[in-house]
Amino acid sequence: MSDVRELLGRAAEHAGQPVISTEGVYAKAARVRWRRRATVAAAAFAVVTAGAVAVPGLTAQPKEEQASVAASAEPAGSSGRAKKLVELLPKGVGSVEQVSLAVIIKHATPQQAKEHPVGPLDGQYAVRRDGGVGYLVIRAMSGEQVRKKFGGFAPADDLCKPATGPRPTGCVREELPDGRVLTIWSDSMDYGDGTPKWGFELVGRLTLKDGGVLAVRDSTGFRADTSQGPLLKNTPLTRAQLRSLMLSPELLPNQ
């Protein structure tokens, strides 16, 4: 498995392009995590967080402009993904809308934050419940993309038992009958100072038979000046609900 430097090197290949990827909003925590976990777990996290790039000349926008940009409820081209996701979620989760974390946190323009989803429901979704705001971040990668960016993931790799470094908290690995492997663990996201300050979350990674990966972050939200609301008291989905969502065929790319 590639070490931390190799992962960062690959992630930096696209540096300088005028795009802010979704993963940029986790960059600071990712750097700390990578330094602490030069293991398979680091690569698993990188599925969602690697690839962050800077936008040349991007500066903080005036508050009036920030509010205007962040007010878009659904990114262009989303084709009603939030509505489709809600159909897969249990009742009582809260109100769900698709958002762009790059726009909300990085003040990127919609064009700078434009993404190229692989899975039919890839995206970032704000979940509002009991006055708080959490997030579901869904991302699928094909086997070819995983091999090109990370060197590939072997189903035999056990994220719960890394060769070095601490074991992920509350990590459960499940080998499915069809050869896929589902791993879910919890993360306090307590990696020191930085903005935004992310709250507790559950993280899931499903390794597909072709070497592809489906990754989902189930976050209680973040604290920052750009926050859309207080943290949720609990993650948007319970561990059992997250497992059910990740095993939904509706999240997988068309074969």
Side-chain angles (χ1 to χ4, degrees), residues 11-24:
E13 288 178 357
H14 303 291
Q17 295 181 6
V19 175
I20 291 182
S21 65
T22 301
E23 304 85 336

Side-chain angles (χ1 to χ4, degrees), residues 67-81:
S68 175
V69 172
S72 305
E74 196 163 283
S78 60
S79 302
R81 274 179 259 165

Side-chain angles (χ1 to χ4, degrees), residues 54-252:
V55 176
L58 180 66
T59 58
Q61 302 169 7
K63 289 186 177 180
E64 294 79 4
E65 186 174 351
Q66 289 181 24
S68 175
V69 172
S72 305
E74 196 163 283
S78 60
S79 302
R81 274 179 259 165
K83 182 177 180 180
K84 297 175 183 177
L85 176 61
V86 168
E87 294 175 354
L88 301 176
L89 300 178
K91 294 181 180 180
V93 168
S95 64
V96 179
E97 67 173 331
Q98 189 173 359
V99 297
S100 169
L101 289 173
V103 170
I104 295 170
I105 297 174
K106 293 288 189 177
H107 313 319
T109 66
Q111 184 59 36
Q112 290 170 326
K114 186 176 181 180
E115 298 173 356
H116 304 282
V118 172
L121 295 183
D122 280 9
Q124 308 102 57
Y125 302 87
V127 180
R128 292 177 169 82
R129 182 174 69 212
D130 300 329
V133 183
Y135 297 92
L136 291 173
V137 179
I138 302 173
R139 184 184 184 188
M141 295 182 70
S142 67
E144 181 179 356
Q145 289 176 314
V146 171
R147 287 187 289 273
K148 182 176 181 181
K149 181 167 287 190
F150 305 108
F153 293 129
D157 291 338
D158 190 345
L159 300 179
C160 295
K161 299 178 181 179
T164 60
R167 295 186 178 186
T169 303
C171 190
V172 176
R173 182 177 189 271
E174 182 179 358
E175 296 184 10
L176 304 174
D178 62 3
R180 296 179 301 167
V181 176
L182 174 63
T183 307
I184 296 177
W185 65 95
S186 58
D187 195 323
S188 67
M189 291 300 289
D190 184 12
Y191 295 102
D193 297 330
T195 301
K197 183 72 173 179
W198 288 91
F200 174 85
E201 61 186 47
L202 294 172
V203 186
R205 196 195 82 178
L206 179 66
T207 302
L208 308 177
K209 291 181 289 186
D210 68 348
V213 169
L214 172 66
V216 178
R217 307 184 66 85
D218 182 19
S219 170
T220 54
F222 66 88
R223 299 185 182 91
D225 292 340
T226 54
S227 173
Q228 295 183 299
L231 300 180
L232 292 179
K233 294 180 180 179
N234 301 295
T235 53
L237 301 178
T238 66
R239 183 179 286 259
Q241 291 169 342
L242 175 59
R243 177 185 182 278
S244 179
L245 177 64
M246 295 196 68
L247 295 180
S248 301
E250 290 86 351
L251 268 61
L252 300 178

